[in-house]
Amino acid sequence: MGEEKDMVDMTAHTQERTWSRYSRQERLTRFAVYAITLFAIVWAVRDIDIFWPWVWDAPNQIQSLAVRMWPLDFSGWMAIGSALMETVHIATLSTFLTAFIALPVSYIAAQNTTPNKVTLWIGRLILVSSRSVNTIIWALLFVAIFGPGVLAGILAVMFRSIGFIGKLMGEAIEEIDKKPVEAMQATGASKLKVVAYAIVPQVMPAFFAIIILRWDINIRESTVLGLVGAGGIGVLLQGSIDTFAWQTVATILLAIIVLVILGEAITSVLRKKVI
Amino acid sequence: MLKISNLEKRYGKNEPVLKGLDLTVDGSSVVSIVGASGAGKSTLLRCINRLVEPTSGRIQLNGLDLVDLRGAELRRARRKIGMVFQGFNLIDRLTVMENVLSGRLGYVSLYRAITRKYPQSDIDRAFHLMERVGIDHYANKRADQLSGGERQRVAVVRALMQEPEILLADEPTASLDPKTSQQIMSLLQALASEMDLPVLINIHNVTQARMYTDRIVGMRHGQMIFDGGPKDFNQDALDAIYGGIESPDEQGQTIETAPAAEGASV
């Protein structure tokens, strides 16, 4: 008898209940997000003022450029080779030097190691300002200060890398297992000794992985430095474009691709060794 | 001698974790502290070496007041207090020997610490202690390659490297299997008498507390409610400590002669 009654009740309830995935509030929010996105896209397309005839003409231009680029001109291979080497040197030197600067910065930018609030904010300010300025803009700045050349390029890559390495290392420091830290404190070790024993061994693998990754990125960044006169293969590229030596341009582009692939291959092997 | 008087610890504005606790440990006695989770056992041990700051009260170790120490004084005092943890707290990527020698960090210079150039006397002491607990052949192995029991031995040796005047052990066997946990308990007991060292052990396993320690202190809600020898620790005491809470070790009551059953409580 009781069972029957329950069943009747249940059906009665089912009829009254309604269900929808989103509440009215959520539906309105979603609609607003769609509308804003659409508006932003339409606005952007209308505002950027594309000269459409050139766009329609692009296939012809591509064909013509390809014809002018072919066959590749390898006569300047010596110059290209040494410019490539210079590019790699810029990447290597700046990555190496950055490591020394980024480590103290990451130490004060990590919440669990920073001495106090002021140092924490100084650390974060350094990281943010380094990261928010692109390498090529740093290069423009340093070319203006030191004149064109490799030095400006090295400094530009360094200033951008400090933020990258510093931020990732800071995160690695914040993610360490705190138990060894506690144990080292319990032995009566000073703060620096705690860092040397409980923190450094834990972040070592992350450190090498980050340095290798940044070296790889820096090779690619160094290839464009020359466009603003800061050394490397980019100088040659810019010169060839300016003189319409398209066959040389094509060779340089090919060389850059080969270099980047090589860098990628080397770093992926190294990364496997570290991890 | 360790003398704790009227120790209180509260985190923020919450109910105090320790409420006016008094405890004196002298000689080379092995004292176990039992109590349910959250009774304040861990906080008590960490107040002694100031990994946790006491809110008020006094802690004296061989006449030295520990509560007000700052900076270098505090570090000098910590050298004399060895600590063993539930999770071993080793530095996994360093070798066993480096882990052991890290017990000397309070004594050696930063240069020696970083370059691993420890004085020969420290190295001798390290080998001697490692031999004593049977891990000397692991000296150059990475710490994370050892089993749980071996890792806890490394941690014990590290603590003994400090030449401590007291040893604190915060649930040293809770992460170990029953057999290994017995071995560690009897090792701590033996070392205490060999080195004339008082040992304070937080422990969940009441049966082991009875078997391996000279004195049992029972805690509940931040207060000491039992203090006596293993023989005095009867069902009433157990009820008082764990009353209302299902005792983790009640089976141990009836089968305490069969140590293998202890595993159930770990």
Side-chain angles (χ1 to χ4, degrees):
Chain A
M1 182 69 187
E3 252 173 51
E4 244 171 76
K5 195 164 175 283
D6 283 346
M7 279 174 69
V8 172
D9 278 351
M10 218 149 62
T11 49
H13 276 297
T14 343
Q15 279 161 358
E16 285 161 23
R17 289 178 192 170
T18 56
W19 182 86
S20 62
R21 172 68 181 77
Y22 300 105
S23 69
R24 192 182 155 72
Q25 177 67 42
E26 283 170 326
R27 269 201 302 275
L28 281 174
T29 318
R30 287 166 67 87
F31 178 74
V33 171
Y34 291 143
I36 291 169
T37 312
L38 194 66
F39 172 73
I41 290 169
V42 172
W43 185 24
V45 171
R46 288 174 62 105
D47 226 37
I48 51 174
D49 199 15
I50 296 170
F51 188 63
W52 293 101
W54 284 354
V55 176
W56 310 134
D57 191 35
N60 291 334
Q61 292 300 327
I62 292 171
Q63 204 184 8
S64 142
L65 193 61
V67 168
R68 272 176 282 164
M69 281 179 164
W70 191 259
L72 300 183
D73 177 8
F74 288 102
S75 62
W77 67 273
M78 286 269 287
I80 294 174
S82 75
L84 274 184
M85 245 6 258
E86 190 177 84
T87 309
V88 175
H89 290 329
I90 293 174
T92 308
L93 260 178
S94 49
T95 310
F96 179 76
L97 293 173
T98 306
F100 293 94
I101 302 170
L103 279 182
V105 176
S106 65
Y107 180 79
I108 62 169
Q111 269 177 343
N112 50 344
T113 50
T114 194
N116 55 53
K117 271 224 157 74
V118 178
T119 54
L120 179 68
W121 283 108
I122 293 173
R124 289 188 171 170
L125 189 71
I126 295 172
L127 295 186
V128 168
S129 42
S130 159
R131 280 154 48 82
S132 53
V133 179
N134 192 284
T135 307
I136 210 79
I137 297 174
W138 282 119
L140 275 169
L141 215 67
F142 287 117
V143 167
I145 297 171
F146 296 99
V150 180
L151 179 63
I154 291 176
L155 286 173
V157 176
M158 276 178 71
F159 267 65
R160 177 63 184 82
S161 305
I162 289 170
F164 182 91
I165 297 175
K167 183 170 169 63
L168 290 181
M169 274 309 284
E171 277 167 9
I173 293 173
E174 280 172 358
E175 277 163 21
I176 57 159
D177 179 8
K178 286 172 187 68
K179 287 177 182 171
V181 175
E182 194 184 30
M184 291 301 98
Q185 283 169 343
T187 66
S190 64
K191 190 157 186 190
L192 280 177
K193 289 177 195 164
V194 174
V195 171
Y197 272 73
I199 298 181
V200 170
Q202 290 197 58
V203 298
M204 244 1 176
F207 174 70
F208 287 121
I210 293 166
I211 290 289
I212 291 166
L213 173 63
R214 189 65 216 183
W215 181 70
D216 185 24
I217 296 171
N218 282 349
I219 286 181
R220 276 173 266 165
E221 302 243 295
S222 306
T223 56
V224 293
L225 285 173
L227 299 182
V228 296
I233 188 81
V235 176
L236 222 55
L237 183 64
Q238 182 74 55
S240 307
I241 293 173
D242 288 347
T243 55
F244 307 112
W246 295 108
Q247 291 169 325
T248 315
V249 170
T251 318
I252 293 172
L253 290 180
L254 183 70
I256 290 176
I257 291 171
V258 170
L259 174 70
V260 169
I261 290 173
L262 269 178
E264 184 107 22
I266 293 171
T267 52
S268 76
V269 169
L270 283 178
R271 214 170 304 147
K272 263 183 211 136
K273 291 240 154 108
V274 170
I275 301 163
Chain B
M1 185 170 85
L2 178 76
K3 195 168 190 296
I4 298 174
S5 40
N6 205 17
L7 183 66
E8 192 186 296
K9 171 63 190 177
R10 73 171 67 223
Y11 292 96
K13 289 201 162 65
N14 297 322
E15 176 89 342
V17 182
L18 299 174
K19 300 170 191 158
L21 196 115
D22 296 299
L23 175 67
T24 303
V25 179
D26 43 16
S28 60
S29 52
V30 180
V31 180
S32 57
I33 305 168
V34 299
S37 301
K41 308 187 298 279
S42 225
T43 304
L44 170 62
L45 282 201
R46 281 172 168 73
C47 278
I48 296 172
N49 64 1
R50 298 266 305 279
L51 288 177
V52 165
E53 287 298 326
T55 308
S56 66
R58 269 160 73 89
I59 304 171
Q60 281 186 312
L61 179 62
N62 298 332
L64 178 69
D65 258 306
L66 297 174
V67 175
D68 300 317
L69 296 177
R70 292 273 167 273
E73 282 179 334
L74 172 62
R75 294 200 294 271
R76 211 168 302 133
R78 276 179 176 163
R79 303 193 304 201
K80 293 296 176 192
I81 308 169
M83 187 157 185
V84 177
F85 303 84
Q86 175 179 350
F88 322 132
N89 296 20
L90 299 181
I91 303 140
D92 285 342
R93 301 182 60 87
L94 297 187
T95 62
V96 168
M97 191 57 160
E98 282 169 303
N99 269 286
V100 166
L101 286 170
S102 72
R104 299 299 294 173
L105 282 182
Y107 295 89
V108 301
S109 67
L110 180 64
Y111 170 77
R112 276 181 183 274
I114 289 175
T115 56
R116 315 294 200 253
K117 289 191 167 107
Y118 284 83
Q120 188 58 42
S121 57
D122 289 354
I123 293 164
D124 291 340
R125 184 177 169 81
F127 273 120
H128 172 75
L129 287 168
M130 287 197 288
E131 265 164 38
R132 168 63 188 84
V133 304
I135 53 166
D136 49 313
H137 52 292
Y138 290 138
N140 285 320
K141 259 200 166 178
R142 253 173 67 149
D144 54 4
Q145 292 177 328
L146 270 55
S147 71
E150 290 159 349
R151 286 158 68 73
Q152 194 59 294
R153 279 162 211 267
V154 175
V156 169
V157 171
R158 173 176 69 189
L160 295 176
M161 284 298 287
Q162 292 173 235
E163 297 178 68
E165 289 167 8
I166 188 167
L167 188 62
L168 311 174
D170 187 20
E171 310 209 7
T173 61
S175 316
L176 301 172
D177 65 71
K179 183 121 180 76
T180 322
S181 94
Q182 280 177 42
Q183 289 169 349
I184 293 292
M185 285 304 285
S186 73
L187 177 70
L188 288 174
Q189 186 188 33
L191 289 170
S193 74
E194 280 168 39
M195 307 182 110
D196 203 19
L197 186 71
V199 182
L200 238 64
I201 306 177
N202 278 348
I203 190 162
H204 266 309
N205 189 319
V206 176
T207 314
Q208 284 187 354
R210 282 214 189 109
M211 265 169 81
Y212 296 106
T213 62
D214 314 321
R215 179 178 161 197
I216 298 177
V217 170
M219 279 181 69
R220 179 161 194 177
H221 301 317
Q223 279 167 322
M224 202 208 283
I225 59 166
F226 176 87
D227 186 0
K231 285 195 184 67
D232 310 323
F233 194 81
N234 51 23
Q235 186 61 44
D236 289 343
L238 199 66
D239 287 342
I241 293 165
Y242 292 104
I245 311 157
E246 188 70 13
S247 163
D249 207 37
E250 261 162 350
Q251 312 95 308
Q253 284 296 298
T254 48
I255 43 175
E256 68 187 297
T257 45
E262 283 168 21
S265 69
V266 176

